[in-house]
Amino acid sequence: MTNNTEEKQAAITKKMMKVQFIGAPGSILFGLGLYGVFAANGDAFIDFLNDERNCYAMIGVGGAIMLWEAYTIFKLGRQRKALKNVD
């Protein structure tokens, strides 16, 4: 591999790590929303989770962030794979 290709792969890997870091709150929102809907039964550790509307909103927002994260990771993965196949 050339230095340019290695630098591009390193940049893609760095972008993937940033996307995963940005996407972490989406997973947390999604998980807390599921907890509030299915497990809390009106006795959540945060009062905010006792309202189902809040929980469904958290599931929606968290799911959207997770979808964006997955799309971006797959796109970057394809770019990295294409760089490996060039050499």
Side-chain angles (χ1 to χ4, degrees):
M1 279 196 229
T2 64
N3 284 339
N4 191 24
T5 304
E6 290 174 0
E7 289 174 5
K8 287 181 181 178
Q9 285 184 345
I12 289 172
T13 301
K14 189 174 180 179
K15 286 180 186 178
M16 290 174 90
M17 291 175 62
K18 285 182 183 179
V19 168
Q20 290 174 343
F21 183 71
I22 293 169
S27 300
I28 293 169
L29 281 172
F30 192 80
L32 285 174
L34 289 177
Y35 166 77
V37 171
F38 295 111
N41 295 327
D43 191 28
F45 61 93
I46 300 173
D47 289 334
F48 184 77
L49 296 175
N50 289 329
D51 186 4
E52 281 193 14
R53 290 177 294 169
N54 294 336
C55 294
Y56 286 125
M58 291 171 66
I59 291 170
V61 171
I65 294 171
M66 289 171 57
L67 285 173
W68 168 81
E69 178 185 7
Y71 172 75
T72 307
I73 291 293
F74 284 129
K75 188 171 78 171
L76 290 170
R78 283 185 183 176
Q79 290 176 2
R80 189 169 62 178
K81 186 176 179 180
L83 285 175
K84 286 183 180 181
N85 290 338
V86 169
D87 292 335

